[in-house]
Amino acid sequence: MMEKCRATRRLFSHSFKSLFNHRSVSDHSTLRSASVFTHHFSDNGQRCIPLFQLQKSDLLARASFSRDYKQTFWPPLGRGLGGMMCALQFRSFGSAGTKIQRNPSFATLNSDDVTYFKGVLGEKNVVQDEDRLEFVNADWMHKYKGSSRLLLLPTTTDQVSQILKYCNSRHLAVVPQGGNTGLVGGSVPVFDEVIISMSSMNNIVDFDKVSGMLVCEAGCILENLISFLDNQGFIMPLDLGAKGSCQIGGNVSTNAGGLRLIRHGSLHGNVLGLEAVLANGNVLDMLGTLRKDNTGYDLKHLFIGSEGSLGIVTKVSILTPPKLSSVNIAFIACKDYLSCQRLLLEAKRKLGEILSAFEFWDSEAMDLVLNHLEGVRNPLPPSVHNFYVLIETTSSDESYDKEKLEAFLLRSMESGLISDGVLAQDINQASSFWRIREGIPEALMRAGPIYKYDLSLPVENMYNLVEEMRVRLAQKAKVVGYGHLGDGNLHLNISAPQYDDMILAQVEPYVYEWTSKHRGSISAEHGLGLMKANEIFYSKSHETVQVMASIKKLLDPNGILNPYKVLPHSLSTH
Amino acid sequence: MMEKCRATRRLFSHSFKSLFNHRSVSDHSTLRSASVFTHHFSDNGQRCIPLFQLQKSDLLARASFSRDYKQTFWPPLGRGLGGMMCALQFRSFGSAGTKIQRNPSFATLNSDDVTYFKGVLGEKNVVQDEDRLEFVNADWMHKYKGSSRLLLLPTTTDQVSQILKYCNSRHLAVVPQGGNTGLVGGSVPVFDEVIISMSSMNNIVDFDKVSGMLVCEAGCILENLISFLDNQGFIMPLDLGAKGSCQIGGNVSTNAGGLRLIRHGSLHGNVLGLEAVLANGNVLDMLGTLRKDNTGYDLKHLFIGSEGSLGIVTKVSILTPPKLSSVNIAFIACKDYLSCQRLLLEAKRKLGEILSAFEFWDSEAMDLVLNHLEGVRNPLPPSVHNFYVLIETTSSDESYDKEKLEAFLLRSMESGLISDGVLAQDINQASSFWRIREGIPEALMRAGPIYKYDLSLPVENMYNLVEEMRVRLAQKAKVVGYGHLGDGNLHLNISAPQYDDMILAQVEPYVYEWTSKHRGSISAEHGLGLMKANEIFYSKSHETVQVMASIKKLLDPNGILNPYKVLPHSLSTH
């Protein structure tokens, strides 16, 4: 755990350093207040907004340390709060692991197995050291913990193939592991599954500067790919708070969403090919690098988001967009949720191709941030606003796009969609705006016990759930809504004075039922893993889940790949 | 066939009418020569390019009649050339149908079957009329022709379910049919399969103006959806020459590529949900409308591009982008293929978010167009250019983006990537530029016998194949290369004095082998259908095809869904 903690700290320091690459750290001492730096466009329609144009690289560096609450406040808060977070996560979600039994059809590891693996991988890539095993047996939150006695570190696809073929014949269950940054217990053993870490398969295989096609091994750390591409003048279509640790194979296997989805779409669109090893050791080479290929069923999609339960992804090819030079950020207040919705519609239409983020949060979230985080201030004058929106644009041309955003904001102000707003003038302001949005989870944690839900819902009635929960809970808890409005992704958080089964009973299964009724998703981007495997029916029909189970049975008849995850236990163990 | 022909003519007339909606047809008489209208930016770096900003609706209308050679010159050339095209297609591609035998495990239709279907669908939706059957038994090219004795026209998903459940129990083979606009024999019976037409399921189910999410039935004609969305201020992320006839269910089932792929990506990214009926009649409701949903395997992708062989798509939900107001088109000459490549790279970087088309063709293609098409002229001064590029931009703001494109072209001229070029000033010029690119297939057809290949290849060595073919064929035939450079999609065409087995032997299997060696695709966007089912191994590994076959067996154990298509016959009939 300490090693994990240190790794996160390094990322944190590194990112701060990158953040001030362009403006020296000593500049920090000259930071003026937001009211001096920000240019304010007020209700009277008058504007004075000489925008400061950020360099993309500045913003990306900033993003890397604070986008994900895990990376953000785990290090500053240290082990104490980490422990608290652990406990609360167990409280609200963590019971799944206790209900299931080890599948008795799985074999138990013996010394002959270890000898075989050493023959394939060499001594040093077959790890039985208890300290190292303890680290890979647990997820970063210490919410899930297995008892594997073996960690394997293959370096080639052929080795993965040999390992799986052997495990399949022996009925030895395995868990594929990337950066182990997941949130649903998908990447750690539940019992004694053999851990197959992809960390040693971390080579970039090819990059085509004309097409932007990147081919790499599954163990490549996302941040390393981002850095590599930055030097080539490209970006990853995927960005996550966990980028310093997560691996592209894990990203693909969990269909990670992240921050660029509104602009670049999901990995189902950006991953153009992959190589996967099936449970029986067969290697599926689908590592195409073509934008168009209509030759048979596009099987790669089965491996995107199946969380390692259908095969182990060993290589991927990804279409990477060119790096664009101009980034602008606006911090906006809206009077109601309908205005936020309409502003999103207008932003899609008027900013269209340059829109790269559209985040929203309510006044409850804002109050929490202002009350619980140090050094955070509201860049807008003290006033009651019900909703806040952060708009980011990214484009290829500073001069034109700056004016385009300004004009859009002015029109939106005049039409009443925006009540008030400011535009970031420099990297510090941009960072302070993002800090408010990204500080919400941290503020929530500081405020006390919390029930967290990550939902996809139709934008038009997304916020109704927040309001309904307020009615249900009355004064018993504070209900907070925020999230990626542009992607229809709501983070519903219920902040209570204490953990209370009465409160939980008011929340669950109501939230899942409400989500299901509105054809939403109970897992927008984290996957099901162990945590929500049994909740799948809230988002998928029985017929569909039945087909999933039959495909699992087809590709992994012995069920050795990441058992107990994704599919409901009633289906996956029979 | 005549009915089909008339339908196509109607589309043609209609589109011309739309084209001149904004500028009256009488304006046509005042058309000045390109040299007067176009503003030329020449080698000396001087520019005088006061661009005319086209309305998106103008361009879309124009696109509708001429993007696809099928729709473009089938009507003008009439049945005569249609017959010739038929012959040549049979010559170069059409042998698959003659080699296969009817699967003896399939039942033969009897009167009890017809009675059952009438009970489910009503009399009028069970068609046995020979004239109507003749029409749906053949594809539009008359290249493939089945002998079905029954056409079914379900109006609901439940009816599709009942039909399939019955057919499955009876071992009656079926072929799902949309607009029947395919190019590979995928949508017509091979023998006596029952035809299930989706034409009567053509309702728009829902549209969300905030998210741009469209939910509709599979039989909706693409052009109708485009018109509906246009009124709502949105566009389809898919556009095809066949839009007047093709249906969205067929588009999704064949993963149609089309003209907007470079900008909006493939249907795997844009289709957010679908409903499909399996061979056993089970309905898979995966009709989600969420951008983010990580709850289990994303099975919808199995039905995107599987050409109706795994299930019948009955409804789809699609994310539609907002309609943008500004369109510009540049006609450019480059000295070599490397310049085209580098220009593409620069365009992606500098135009980035506004780039909506990047097409290229070589001087052989240009010569053919100038020699064989009436009223077409080169908008550039007589000069020897080796390559031509058409760049289209589409964006949300006329004033800014016009300047952005101008600046890009000027820089590219100064850096030597562009040898010469013009910018369209009005709808007529834009249309004339597109006419050159889109006239290439027609010019090729007029020039004589032709061998056509539709390939996806890595951009960097795509044109090597054209050059290698020239060496192989020496003076025996003219080799022409053009296509969607931005998507890595090459149309390789070999124009010969006559059909000649010696020439064919020089071309095949060399082209497929070359494509395979470079990890290309032998079918960029048309699918495999009947025509290329046995060629799948040129693009997919044996292990991958084996998994495809096992999934086919899993979902359609009796093989009743669109038999003889997609998978190699050796695998699909056992």
Side-chain angles (χ1 to χ4, degrees):
Chain A
M1 192 57 218
M2 281 308 290
E3 191 173 332
K4 184 83 185 174
C5 206
R6 278 196 301 275
T8 317
R9 278 208 187 95
R10 275 201 303 278
L11 168 65
F12 191 73
S13 312
H14 166 70
S15 301
F16 253 120
K17 189 174 151 197
S18 312
L19 177 64
F20 294 106
N21 263 352
H22 294 262
R23 337 226 133 240
S24 92
V25 176
S26 63
D27 285 349
H28 204 54
S29 61
T30 66
L31 178 65
R32 281 172 280 174
S33 75
S35 60
V36 177
F37 259 90
T38 50
H39 286 261
H40 195 237
F41 48 103
S42 63
D43 273 320
N44 65 9
Q46 294 296 313
R47 61 167 178 160
C48 48
I49 12 177
L51 276 187
F52 182 87
Q53 287 280 345
L54 299 167
Q55 292 301 307
K56 182 75 176 173
S57 55
D58 292 339
L59 275 183
L60 293 185
R62 180 202 47 70
S64 72
F65 76 92
S66 64
R67 294 279 199 180
D68 187 301
Y69 72 90
K70 174 185 88 192
Q71 299 285 2
T72 308
F73 63 93
W74 176 258
L77 299 180
R79 291 176 71 87
L81 185 55
M84 187 191 97
M85 189 159 70
C86 247
L88 76 94
Q89 294 274 13
F90 269 110
R91 179 71 178 234
S92 50
F93 298 120
S95 56
T98 62
K99 289 179 189 164
I100 52 176
Q101 299 297 314
R102 184 180 183 280
N103 185 337
S105 74
F106 292 144
T108 304
L109 191 75
N110 63 33
S111 59
D112 287 348
D113 300 328
V114 176
T115 303
Y116 175 82
F117 293 130
K118 286 181 177 173
V120 174
L121 302 178
E123 286 274 346
K124 76 178 170 61
N125 291 324
V126 178
V127 178
Q128 294 178 286
D129 174 77
E130 285 194 9
D131 285 347
R132 290 182 69 185
L133 281 172
E134 186 172 348
F135 183 63
V136 292
N137 261 307
D139 71 318
W140 71 272
M141 302 180 293
H142 270 203
K143 182 176 161 187
Y144 302 96
K145 193 167 188 334
S147 51
S148 176
R149 295 188 292 126
L150 195 67
L151 166 68
L152 302 179
L153 292 155
T155 56
T156 66
T157 300
D158 185 56
Q159 288 181 351
V160 176
S161 169
Q162 289 182 67
I163 293 168
L164 284 184
K165 187 175 180 182
Y166 180 85
C167 289
N168 193 46
S169 69
R170 275 274 292 130
H171 287 236
L172 278 171
V174 304
V175 53
Q177 191 174 87
N180 196 12
T181 61
L183 294 161
V184 290
S187 58
V188 290
V190 179
F191 298 101
D192 59 342
E193 299 92 281
V194 172
I195 300 169
I196 301 178
S197 168
M198 300 307 291
S199 302
S200 299
M201 289 185 65
N202 57 4
N203 295 301
I204 288 169
V205 178
D206 193 23
F207 181 68
D208 180 338
K209 286 190 77 161
V210 174
S211 64
M213 204 67 65
L214 172 73
V215 182
C216 65
E217 291 181 328
C220 288
I221 289 174
L222 180 58
E223 192 166 48
N224 294 344
L225 295 177
I226 290 170
S227 300
F228 169 82
L229 289 170
D230 188 65
N231 290 330
Q232 307 284 330
F234 287 79
I235 63 166
M236 284 293 281
L238 175 76
D239 193 9
L240 296 179
K243 72 173 95 176
S245 306
C246 67
Q247 296 171 11
I248 191 65
N251 297 148
V252 169
S253 297
T254 56
N255 189 30
L259 304 160
R260 291 180 177 157
L261 197 133
I262 189 175
R263 176 68 163 263
H264 300 294
S266 85
L267 289 173
H268 284 286
N270 295 311
V271 171
L272 295 192
L274 56 78
E275 178 187 78
V277 185
L278 299 181
N280 64 7
N282 278 2
V283 178
L284 295 191
D285 177 357
M286 304 172 289
L287 203 56
T289 55
L290 308 166
R291 289 205 75 173
K292 289 179 173 177
D293 176 24
N294 281 351
T295 53
Y297 312 154
D298 202 344
L299 298 182
K300 68 170 178 279
H301 295 286
L302 278 179
F303 300 90
I304 300 173
S306 56
E307 306 181 41
S309 67
L310 295 180
I312 297 184
V313 172
T314 43
K315 295 192 186 84
V316 299
S317 58
I318 299 187
L319 185 64
T320 69
K323 184 168 66 175
L324 304 179
S325 59
S326 163
V327 180
N328 286 294
I329 294 175
F331 186 100
I332 290 160
C334 294
K335 66 178 184 298
D336 51 27
Y337 182 70
L338 185 62
S339 297
C340 298
Q341 267 190 69
R342 290 176 55 208
L343 188 66
L344 172 62
L345 186 64
E346 284 298 301
K348 282 185 177 176
R349 191 173 311 281
K350 302 298 186 194
L351 300 174
E353 65 282 358
I354 67 170
L355 184 65
S356 57
F358 195 105
E359 300 286 309
F360 93 110
W361 59 100
D362 59 19
S363 57
E364 284 78 1
M366 190 69 175
D367 290 345
L368 280 166
V369 169
L370 296 176
N371 292 335
H372 291 279
L373 300 190
E374 288 176 19
V376 173
R377 67 171 66 205
N378 189 342
L380 299 177
S383 169
V384 177
H385 298 295
N386 292 316
F387 289 90
Y388 296 87
V389 168
L390 189 150
I391 292 180
E392 184 187 81
T393 62
T394 310
S395 61
S396 57
D397 199 308
E398 297 188 12
S399 52
Y400 305 125
D401 299 318
K402 180 170 65 176
E403 290 177 47
K404 187 184 282 190
L405 178 59
E406 286 175 11
F408 166 74
L409 293 171
L410 187 60
R411 280 195 304 271
S412 301
M413 179 75 80
E414 286 166 353
S415 67
L417 291 184
I418 293 177
S419 305
D420 204 350
V422 284
L423 274 154
Q425 258 197 295
D426 62 16
I427 182 68
N428 291 323
Q429 283 192 354
S431 186
S432 71
F433 292 178
W434 269 114
R435 172 69 177 139
I436 294 171
R437 162 62 186 87
E438 295 173 337
I440 298 169
E442 182 178 347
L444 279 160
M445 291 295 288
R446 288 183 188 268
I450 190 160
Y451 301 89
K452 296 177 77 72
Y453 300 89
D454 170 39
L455 311 167
S456 271
L457 288 166
V459 172
E460 62 188 7
N461 48 24
M462 175 192 281
Y463 201 74
N464 293 351
L465 176 58
V466 180
E467 289 168 339
E468 289 189 28
M469 286 311 303
R470 285 195 185 121
V471 173
R472 281 179 73 82
L473 291 168
Q475 301 304 313
K476 289 186 229 119
K478 189 185 287 287
V479 182
V480 176
Y482 67 98
H484 318 286
L485 194 66
D487 301 328
N489 190 177
L490 172 70
H491 296 302
L492 170 69
N493 284 254
I494 291 154
S495 176
Q498 65 283 320
Y499 286 112
D500 182 339
D501 286 344
M502 297 291 281
I503 289 177
L504 190 59
Q506 285 290 307
V507 180
E508 290 185 30
Y510 184 82
V511 165
Y512 292 135
E513 287 168 354
W514 199 98
T515 301
S516 178
K517 191 175 77 179
H518 290 84
R519 300 191 73 95
S521 170
I522 60 159
S523 181
E525 54 187 358
H526 297 165
L528 296 171
L530 177 65
M531 187 172 103
K532 300 186 204 167
N534 282 334
E535 317 296 338
I536 192 170
F537 296 108
Y538 282 113
S539 287
K540 293 286 162 70
S541 71
H542 277 77
E543 292 80 4
T544 307
V545 175
Q546 199 67 53
V547 174
M548 291 181 197
S550 65
I551 286 176
K552 167 73 175 176
K553 188 79 182 167
L554 176 74
L555 297 184
D556 180 20
N558 298 327
I560 64 161
L561 283 169
N562 219 4
Y564 322 108
K565 319 279 177 68
V566 190
L567 293 174
H569 304 139
S570 57
L571 285 174
S572 61
T573 54
H574 293 98
Chain B
M1 188 60 215
M2 280 309 289
E3 191 173 335
K4 185 83 186 174
C5 206
R6 279 197 300 276
T8 317
R9 278 206 186 94
R10 275 200 304 277
L11 168 65
F12 192 73
S13 313
H14 167 70
S15 302
F16 252 121
K17 188 174 155 199
S18 312
L19 176 64
F20 292 105
N21 263 351
H22 294 262
R23 338 226 133 240
S24 93
V25 177
S26 62
D27 284 351
H28 204 54
S29 60
T30 65
L31 177 66
R32 282 172 279 175
S33 74
S35 60
V36 177
F37 260 89
T38 49
H39 286 259
H40 194 238
F41 49 101
S42 61
D43 273 320
N44 64 9
Q46 294 296 313
R47 62 169 179 159
C48 47
I49 11 177
L51 277 186
F52 183 87
Q53 288 281 345
L54 299 167
Q55 293 301 307
K56 182 74 178 172
S57 55
D58 293 339
L59 274 183
L60 293 185
R62 178 202 49 70
S64 72
F65 76 93
S66 64
R67 294 279 198 179
D68 188 302
Y69 71 91
K70 174 185 90 190
Q71 299 285 3
T72 310
F73 63 94
W74 176 255
L77 299 180
R79 290 177 71 88
L81 186 55
M84 188 191 96
M85 188 157 71
C86 245
L88 77 93
Q89 293 275 13
F90 268 110
R91 180 70 178 232
S92 51
F93 297 120
S95 55
T98 62
K99 289 178 188 166
I100 53 175
Q101 300 297 314
R102 184 180 183 282
N103 185 337
S105 75
F106 292 145
T108 304
L109 191 75
N110 64 34
S111 60
D112 288 346
D113 300 329
V114 175
T115 303
Y116 176 83
F117 293 130
K118 285 181 178 173
V120 173
L121 302 177
E123 285 275 346
K124 75 178 171 59
N125 292 323
V126 178
V127 178
Q128 294 179 285
D129 174 77
E130 284 194 12
D131 286 346
R132 289 182 70 184
L133 281 171
E134 186 172 349
F135 183 63
V136 291
N137 261 308
D139 71 318
W140 70 272
M141 302 179 295
H142 271 204
K143 182 177 161 188
Y144 303 96
K145 193 167 189 334
S147 52
S148 177
R149 296 189 291 127
L150 194 68
L151 165 68
L152 302 179
L153 291 155
T155 56
T156 66
T157 299
D158 185 57
Q159 288 181 351
V160 176
S161 168
Q162 288 183 67
I163 294 167
L164 284 185
K165 187 175 180 182
Y166 181 86
C167 288
N168 193 46
S169 69
R170 276 274 292 131
H171 287 235
L172 279 171
V174 305
V175 54
Q177 191 174 86
N180 196 10
T181 60
L183 294 162
V184 290
S187 58
V188 290
V190 179
F191 298 100
D192 59 344
E193 299 91 282
V194 173
I195 300 169
I196 302 178
S197 167
M198 300 307 291
S199 301
S200 299
M201 289 184 66
N202 56 5
N203 295 300
I204 289 170
V205 177
D206 192 24
F207 181 68
D208 180 340
K209 286 190 77 161
V210 174
S211 65
M213 204 68 62
L214 172 73
V215 182
C216 65
E217 291 181 327
C220 289
I221 289 174
L222 180 59
E223 194 166 45
N224 294 345
L225 296 177
I226 290 170
S227 299
F228 169 82
L229 289 171
D230 189 64
N231 290 331
Q232 306 285 330
F234 287 80
I235 63 166
M236 284 293 281
L238 174 77
D239 192 9
L240 296 178
K243 72 174 96 178
S245 306
C246 68
Q247 297 171 10
I248 191 64
N251 297 150
V252 169
S253 297
T254 56
N255 188 29
L259 304 160
R260 292 181 177 156
L261 196 132
I262 189 175
R263 176 69 162 264
H264 299 294
S266 86
L267 289 173
H268 284 287
N270 295 311
V271 172
L272 296 193
L274 56 79
E275 178 187 79
V277 184
L278 299 182
N280 64 7
N282 279 1
V283 179
L284 295 191
D285 176 358
M286 305 172 289
L287 202 57
T289 55
L290 308 166
R291 290 205 73 175
K292 290 180 173 176
D293 177 24
N294 281 352
T295 53
Y297 311 155
D298 202 345
L299 298 182
K300 69 170 177 279
H301 295 286
L302 278 178
F303 300 90
I304 300 173
S306 56
E307 305 180 42
S309 67
L310 295 180
I312 297 184
V313 173
T314 44
K315 295 192 186 84
V316 298
S317 58
I318 299 187
L319 184 65
T320 70
K323 183 169 66 173
L324 304 179
S325 59
S326 164
V327 180
N328 286 294
I329 294 174
F331 186 99
I332 291 160
C334 295
K335 66 178 185 298
D336 52 27
Y337 181 69
L338 185 61
S339 298
C340 299
Q341 266 191 69
R342 290 175 55 206
L343 188 67
L344 172 62
L345 187 63
E346 285 298 301
K348 282 185 178 175
R349 192 173 309 280
K350 303 296 186 195
L351 300 174
E353 64 282 359
I354 65 171
L355 185 65
S356 57
F358 195 106
E359 301 286 309
F360 93 110
W361 59 99
D362 59 20
S363 57
E364 284 78 0
M366 190 70 177
D367 289 346
L368 280 164
V369 168
L370 296 176
N371 292 336
H372 292 280
L373 300 189
E374 287 176 18
V376 172
R377 66 171 66 206
N378 189 342
L380 299 177
S383 168
V384 177
H385 298 294
N386 291 316
F387 289 90
Y388 297 86
V389 168
L390 188 149
I391 292 179
E392 183 187 83
T393 62
T394 309
S395 60
S396 55
D397 198 308
E398 297 188 13
S399 52
Y400 305 126
D401 298 317
K402 179 169 67 176
E403 290 177 47
K404 187 185 283 190
L405 178 59
E406 285 176 13
F408 166 74
L409 294 171
L410 187 60
R411 280 194 304 270
S412 301
M413 179 75 81
E414 286 167 353
S415 68
L417 291 184
I418 292 177
S419 305
D420 205 349
V422 285
L423 273 154
Q425 260 198 296
D426 63 16
I427 182 69
N428 291 323
Q429 283 192 355
S431 187
S432 72
F433 292 178
W434 269 113
R435 172 69 178 139
I436 294 171
R437 162 63 187 87
E438 293 173 337
I440 298 169
E442 182 178 346
L444 278 159
M445 290 296 288
R446 290 183 188 271
I450 190 158
Y451 302 88
K452 296 178 75 72
Y453 301 89
D454 169 38
L455 311 167
S456 270
L457 288 166
V459 172
E460 64 187 7
N461 48 23
M462 175 193 279
Y463 201 75
N464 294 351
L465 175 58
V466 180
E467 289 168 340
E468 288 188 30
M469 286 312 303
R470 287 198 182 118
V471 173
R472 281 180 73 84
L473 291 168
Q475 301 305 313
K476 289 186 227 119
K478 188 184 289 288
V479 182
V480 176
Y482 66 98
H484 318 287
L485 194 65
D487 302 328
N489 189 176
L490 173 71
H491 295 302
L492 169 70
N493 283 255
I494 291 154
S495 177
Q498 65 284 319
Y499 287 110
D500 181 339
D501 285 345
M502 298 289 281
I503 288 177
L504 190 59
Q506 286 290 305
V507 179
E508 291 186 29
Y510 184 83
V511 165
Y512 291 136
E513 287 167 353
W514 200 97
T515 301
S516 179
K517 191 174 78 178
H518 290 84
R519 302 191 72 95
S521 170
I522 60 160
S523 181
E525 55 188 357
H526 297 164
L528 296 171
L530 177 64
M531 186 173 104
K532 300 186 203 169
N534 282 333
E535 317 297 337
I536 193 171
F537 296 108
Y538 283 113
S539 287
K540 293 287 160 70
S541 72
H542 277 77
E543 292 80 4
T544 306
V545 176
Q546 199 67 53
V547 174
M548 289 181 199
S550 65
I551 286 176
K552 167 73 175 175
K553 187 79 181 168
L554 176 74
L555 297 185
D556 179 20
N558 298 328
I560 64 161
L561 284 169
N562 219 2
Y564 322 109
K565 321 277 177 68
V566 190
L567 293 175
H569 304 139
S570 57
L571 285 174
S572 61
T573 53
H574 292 98

